[in-house]
Amino acid sequence: MEYDLRKRAKLRCMHLLERRDYTEKQLREKLEKGRTEYSQDIIDEAIAYVKSYHYVDDRRFAQQYVECMQTRKSRRQIAQELSVKGISRELIHEVFEETESVDEDELIRRWMEKRHYDPEAADMKERQRMYGFLARKGFQSDAIFRMLKEEK
């Protein structure tokens, strides 16, 4: 019976990974919260199995995530999301060092254009609204202020 559970856990991991990549933490949570109750040893063995074939690689996941999201999100927001997904801060920092970064001023400018913000015609309320929006996106205050005051 235990052999069947071990095999089933490995197959479950493989099935989950067919559709998309998962971090080790996400895969562990999927196995823990699934319908079948696996012991911690079986979960560890199943994850070790898929890691041995490099089907689960947190570094690769983080690199792909950063490359995909850096044109839409701030570095801070990407780092926060990766942290929630179980990627260590050290690995996040290494991945940011390895990847070519996007100019955040340009990213802020694109968000402002998308939201039809005109720095010359904006009143105080519009500036505050845009500042709040950009701050929630994870951009630095000084960069936001610089871009909000910039003339076209």
Side-chain angles (χ1 to χ4, degrees):
M1 173 91 174
E2 179 148 331
Y3 173 75
D4 291 340
L5 280 177
R6 291 181 190 281
K7 185 175 180 182
R8 186 173 180 163
K10 291 175 188 174
L11 290 173
R12 176 74 176 139
C13 286
M14 298 291 285
H15 176 73
L16 289 168
L17 292 167
E18 282 178 351
R19 301 194 191 288
R20 71 177 187 94
D21 281 340
Y22 286 88
T23 63
E24 182 178 344
K25 178 185 174 192
Q26 290 174 319
L27 197 56
R28 187 174 298 278
E29 288 173 354
K30 283 288 220 181
L31 290 176
E32 289 171 352
K33 294 179 181 175
R35 282 188 259 168
T36 307
E37 290 188 31
Y38 300 110
S39 69
Q40 203 59 43
D41 292 341
I42 292 174
I43 292 173
D44 291 341
E45 184 179 321
I47 289 177
Y49 176 78
V50 292
K51 282 179 79 174
S52 70
Y53 290 101
H54 301 286
Y55 296 144
V56 173
D57 186 355
D58 286 351
R59 175 179 288 281
R60 185 187 69 223
F61 182 91
Q63 287 171 335
Q64 290 174 344
Y65 193 84
V66 167
E67 288 172 7
C68 180
M69 294 297 174
Q70 72 180 353
T71 59
R72 291 181 278 177
K73 298 181 178 186
S74 68
R75 289 174 68 101
R76 187 185 300 175
Q77 189 175 18
I78 293 170
Q80 174 64 29
E81 290 172 0
L82 285 172
S83 182
V84 168
K85 293 177 185 296
I87 307 294
S88 69
R89 293 203 185 279
E90 296 81 29
L91 184 55
I92 293 170
H93 181 71
E94 289 174 21
V95 168
F96 276 132
E97 292 291 320
E98 293 170 3
T99 57
E100 188 175 320
S101 65
V102 172
D103 181 25
E104 288 207 346
D105 286 350
E106 181 59 32
L107 197 52
I108 291 171
R109 188 174 293 114
R110 277 194 266 163
W111 276 112
M112 288 169 44
E113 287 174 9
K114 187 172 184 176
R115 304 279 300 227
H116 305 291
Y117 177 81
D118 182 12
E120 296 170 356
D123 62 355
M124 184 59 99
K125 190 172 185 177
E126 286 181 76
R127 274 196 184 106
Q128 288 174 339
R129 194 175 295 135
M130 183 54 67
Y131 176 86
F133 172 78
L134 293 169
R136 285 187 298 277
K137 289 285 183 190
F139 294 105
Q140 301 286 336
S141 290
D142 58 336
I144 296 172
F145 281 128
R146 185 175 56 250
M147 297 307 294
L148 288 178
K149 293 177 182 176
E150 184 179 277
E151 301 292 324
K152 283 191 174 182

